[in-house]
Amino acid sequence: MRGQIIKILKKVAPYASLEVNVPEVSEFGHFSTNIAMRLASEKGRKPLEVAGELVSKILKVSPRGFFERIEVAGQGFINFWIEKSVLQKELLAVHEKKGFGKSKAGKGKKVIVEYSSPNIAKPMHVGHLRSTLIGDALANIHEFLGYEVIRWNYLGDWGTQFGKLISAYKLWGKRQEVEKAPIGTLLKLYVKFHEELDKQPELEEMGREEFRKFEEGDHENRRLWLWFRRESLREFNAIYKRLGVKFDVTLGESFYEKGLKPLIERLIRRGIAKESEGALIAQVGELPPALIRKSDGATLYITRDLANIEYRVKKYKPAKILYVVANEQALHFEQLFAIARLIGIRGVEFEHVKFGLVLGEGGEKFSTREGKTIHLEEVIEKIIRLAQGVVSKKNPGLSEREKKQIAEAVGIGALKYNDLREHRHSDLVFDWNRMLDFTGDSAPYIQYTYARMQSIKRKVRAGAKPDASLLELENELSVLRKVLDFPYVVTASAEALTPNTLARYTYELAVLANKFYETTPVMKEEDVKLRAARLVLVDVAAGVLKRALNLLGVSTPSRL
Ligand code: ARG
């Protein structure tokens, strides 16, 4: 629907970035644009005049009977009302179509979406959770739009810290403890190493020596590292399973270690990397210099990321690579992309998909009462426990098994939606009660709306062919208009890389659907053709709501 309006507008005002919005207030139309004001200010003309001219042109090029009316308002807004019959016809078309909202926009194009990317031997924290959820949603959305998506988990599994960890394990580690609680035990060992360092400074040398041996392929050290990696992945995978997240490729920093020497030589030869006080640095434009190799010969995070880009581009020829990583690493990615361009990598878009911090309810850093950082497992356990309480209270008649299943869907959904509803640039607040509030802007509210619609579908028999032209109430038509906006919203969400655009949409659709079925009878409607049409509307709205939530990674139980 919105796409059609944009198409019409492009005919009369060929602007690349033409905005058509849905006004908050219904007096301003179903859709609205400020294009006349923009054109007028460019040409130094009166906005109202320009708007008037545009409207007559629009009327000439638009299909007959498409607009109910068009109005110029305020400083020069153009507001549109769509003809009912257009909406009614679309309803039946959408009902018959499979995959409404899908497009071929991404056909033949590959996108690598890199997300999650935790560091082995360390717990995943809420920052990794954000990356995991935003990345997974973006991957789903791109897939839906026809892109070939490669979901990539870029593990932090290399660096001098592993020399310290290996030393610590050799000094104090116990096999069974690592097996029992891998990451917790390895973290403790690592922390202990740093504590002991104050008392025994010679440990520093030991760490360095173990890393050197490891780098040179020392059998024992390689074996230990592989084991740490495997055990860490086992724990990560348990979390991914709970979150319903999957990857196509799990290749981390270590994978690139071997290719670094030739890469560095190339950087030197091409004059991109230069010696500086024994170290090697690369400076591009105004950016601060990036350290490529330390004076002791150690390579860095960015060195491996450069090898990573080269590998990906060569092997997959992607159209885009999305790096879903926290704001804090902005400089790293600016440097990385700038150097990649210098090396001559072309024909691929890179994007650092940044996101903000996670905060506690009072806006403080998100941590336990003792001030320790909260690990992801604890967050997941807690939200599901809280969800269980809420679900039992809301629906005491459910069996224990059902309660458990639903609590899992509601809890995980709440966690995901709480993140995705926010613009990713904003910091995120963990307000547990709000996340689970069945009456607010939360996943449970939207999931509940979906379940209500499913229950209507279960209870009502159509009994006749639907006559969509009988749908005339504003409550019906506003649901219908929202439903028809879905294709536009998914595309917009992909283009701006903002899952919150889609999340917002699910909420708005749920609010309208609620209003509709609370005020408009479906089962009790006596006109069978109208009843059938309302049932189609419920079915279509439920289908779109389910699709949209699923793209966000939120599951949709049919009973709540
Ligand atoms: N492992 C890193 C961390 O936990 C994130 C990796 C981001 N991706 C990248 N290609 N550098 O901070």
Side-chain angles (χ1 to χ4, degrees):
M1 192 91 326
R2 207 184 317 196
Q4 264 162 291
I5 301 177
I6 293 177
K7 243 196 217 147
I8 293 173
L9 283 176
K10 284 213 164 137
K11 285 191 195 156
V12 302
Y15 249 109
S17 65
L18 224 154
E19 263 181 50
V20 172
N21 297 309
V22 178
E24 306 249 336
V25 190
S26 59
E27 288 91 90
F28 297 152
H30 302 149
F31 296 99
S32 175
T33 181
N34 66 358
I35 184 72
M37 285 136 90
R38 279 174 52 197
L39 272 177
S41 87
E42 256 171 44
K43 295 191 176 145
R45 293 188 52 200
K46 293 202 180 95
L48 285 173
E49 243 175 59
V50 176
E53 284 170 22
L54 278 178
V55 170
S56 22
K57 283 190 197 159
I58 292 168
L59 286 171
K60 266 188 214 131
V61 298
S62 50
R64 188 178 296 196
F66 185 75
F67 292 114
E68 180 196 322
R69 69 192 149 105
I70 305 179
E71 262 176 26
V72 175
Q75 310 282 317
F77 284 101
I78 305 178
N79 301 336
F80 304 93
W81 282 260
I82 308 285
E83 189 60 65
K84 281 201 289 288
S85 58
V86 175
L87 304 170
Q88 293 158 343
K89 252 183 237 137
E90 286 278 314
L91 173 66
L92 297 181
V94 170
H95 194 226
E96 267 145 38
K97 198 151 112 193
K98 261 213 192 118
F100 170 60
K102 273 197 174 168
S103 86
K104 297 200 174 75
K107 214 175 158 219
K109 288 186 206 142
K110 270 187 207 147
V111 184
I112 295 178
V113 187
E114 186 210 280
Y115 58 102
S116 199
S117 311
N119 303 318
I120 64 163
K122 280 193 186 160
M124 259 201 243
H125 53 68
V126 282
H128 295 120
L129 175 66
R130 283 211 86 176
S131 168
T132 307
L133 303 185
I134 295 170
D136 187 53
L138 288 175
N140 296 339
I141 292 169
H142 278 83
E143 218 160 67
F144 188 61
L145 296 179
Y147 290 89
E148 185 186 328
V149 175
I150 298 147
R151 297 159 187 262
W152 196 306
N153 190 357
Y154 183 68
L155 291 180
D157 58 0
W158 193 265
T160 47
Q161 70 270 29
F162 293 104
K164 296 177 183 164
L165 185 59
I166 289 168
S167 307
Y169 180 77
K170 286 185 176 172
L171 289 168
W172 313 295
K174 290 203 182 65
R175 175 164 201 103
Q176 307 90 301
E177 280 173 20
V178 175
E179 274 166 358
K180 214 158 85 204
I183 293 178
T185 308
L186 294 174
L187 181 68
K188 264 189 218 141
L189 285 171
Y190 190 66
V191 170
K192 178 160 178 158
F193 187 87
H194 279 269
E195 284 165 2
E196 294 291 319
L197 210 51
D198 289 340
K199 292 174 242 162
Q200 303 170 247
E202 64 280 8
L203 284 179
E204 187 73 52
E205 188 44 44
M206 177 177 183
R208 217 171 304 156
E209 176 58 17
E210 293 295 352
F211 185 69
R212 194 191 53 74
K213 274 163 58 190
F214 169 50
E215 258 189 315
E216 285 166 5
D218 173 80
H219 195 71
E220 172 68 4
N221 286 7
R222 283 272 162 176
R223 196 183 56 80
L224 281 174
W225 171 83
L226 266 174
W227 179 47
F228 298 159
R229 190 179 187 278
R230 198 172 56 237
E231 292 295 314
S232 304
L233 264 174
R234 196 155 58 87
E235 273 193 52
F236 295 156
N237 284 333
I239 294 179
Y240 296 140
K241 193 163 169 216
R242 279 205 113 160
L243 293 174
V245 169
K246 280 198 181 115
F247 296 95
D248 302 308
V249 183
T250 299
L251 272 190
E253 297 183 40
S254 65
F255 179 73
Y256 301 99
E257 188 51 25
K258 285 204 183 65
L260 295 185
K261 245 202 176 128
L263 168 70
I264 291 175
E265 277 158 20
R266 227 167 342 117
L267 290 173
I268 299 175
R269 214 176 327 114
R270 310 244 331 244
I272 298 169
K274 295 193 177 73
E275 285 270 331
S276 166
E277 298 170 27
L280 205 56
I281 58 168
Q283 182 158 22
V284 190
E286 302 283 289
L287 292 172
L291 194 52
I292 298 290
R293 194 180 59 201
K294 287 198 213 160
S295 51
D296 66 5
T299 58
L300 291 105
Y301 183 48
I302 196 165
T303 328
R304 294 185 279 278
D305 246 332
L306 272 170
N308 177 17
I309 281 204
E310 280 202 315
Y311 174 81
R312 286 172 175 175
V313 170
K314 204 164 146 209
K315 173 151 181 170
Y316 296 93
K317 302 194 178 52
K320 282 187 214 179
I321 308 180
L322 308 180
Y323 293 84
V324 187
V325 187
N327 279 337
E328 286 112 314
Q329 298 196 23
L331 176 61
H332 168 78
F333 285 103
E334 276 179 56
Q335 292 172 322
L336 177 65
F337 300 159
I339 300 171
R341 296 281 176 226
L342 270 191
I343 306 179
I345 296 180
R346 295 274 181 278
V348 38
E349 268 174 57
F350 311 124
E351 191 84 44
H352 175 198
V353 184
K354 306 181 184 79
F355 56 82
L357 300 172
V358 180
L359 305 173
E361 267 157 72
E364 73 288 355
K365 212 174 143 239
F366 189 60
S367 57
T368 62
R369 210 168 296 154
E370 300 78 49
K372 282 190 296 194
T373 49
I374 296 188
H375 300 158
L376 209 45
E377 295 96 323
E378 300 169 47
V379 173
I380 294 178
E381 288 305 330
K382 178 164 174 180
I383 193 75
I384 290 178
R385 203 174 55 242
L386 293 173
Q388 228 151 17
V390 179
V391 168
S392 312
K393 224 163 94 194
K394 194 162 175 60
N395 204 341
L398 294 169
S399 73
E400 279 312 304
R401 225 186 99 229
E402 271 177 312
K403 271 186 208 158
K404 241 187 140 159
Q405 269 174 358
I406 293 174
E408 183 101 18
V410 166
I412 298 288
L415 192 66
K416 290 184 172 183
Y417 185 81
N418 179 59
D419 192 312
L420 298 172
R421 70 194 275 275
E422 211 73 65
H423 192 290
R424 59 184 166 78
H425 288 166
S426 316
D427 293 340
L428 188 75
V429 177
F430 252 76
D431 179 338
W432 302 92
N433 293 325
R434 196 197 61 190
M435 276 156 84
L436 287 168
D437 179 1
F438 268 92
T439 61
D441 180 5
S442 67
Y445 169 74
I446 307 168
Q447 288 171 315
Y448 183 64
T449 307
Y450 173 76
R452 277 285 297 270
M453 290 197 272
Q454 289 306 102
S455 113
I456 296 175
K457 277 169 55 189
R458 280 194 299 270
K459 284 183 199 143
V460 184
R461 288 277 148 263
K465 259 186 108 173
D467 182 352
S469 71
L470 299 173
L471 298 173
E472 294 199 297
L473 302 173
E474 183 50 27
N475 274 351
E476 296 163 338
L477 295 173
S478 57
V479 173
L480 184 47
R481 273 196 305 273
K482 204 30 117 191
V483 162
L484 297 177
D485 208 20
F486 178 56
Y488 173 84
V489 172
V490 202
T491 308
S493 187
E495 270 169 15
L497 304 171
T498 49
N500 68 303
T501 310
L502 186 59
R504 175 97 222 134
Y505 173 84
T506 62
Y507 177 62
E508 289 170 352
L509 177 56
V511 168
L512 292 171
N514 258 291
K515 221 160 113 194
F516 161 67
Y517 64 59
E518 271 164 17
T519 53
T520 319
V522 182
M523 191 161 25
K524 295 205 179 95
E525 174 55 53
E526 282 174 7
D527 180 341
V528 281
K529 287 183 172 174
L530 175 57
R531 188 200 302 159
R534 285 192 181 142
L535 201 54
V536 169
L537 183 60
V538 169
D539 193 21
V540 167
V544 168
L545 198 55
K546 179 185 175 66
R547 173 67 85 180
L549 281 177
N550 293 168
L551 286 177
L552 296 173
V554 175
S555 64
T556 39
S558 39
R559 278 170 220 270
L560 267 194

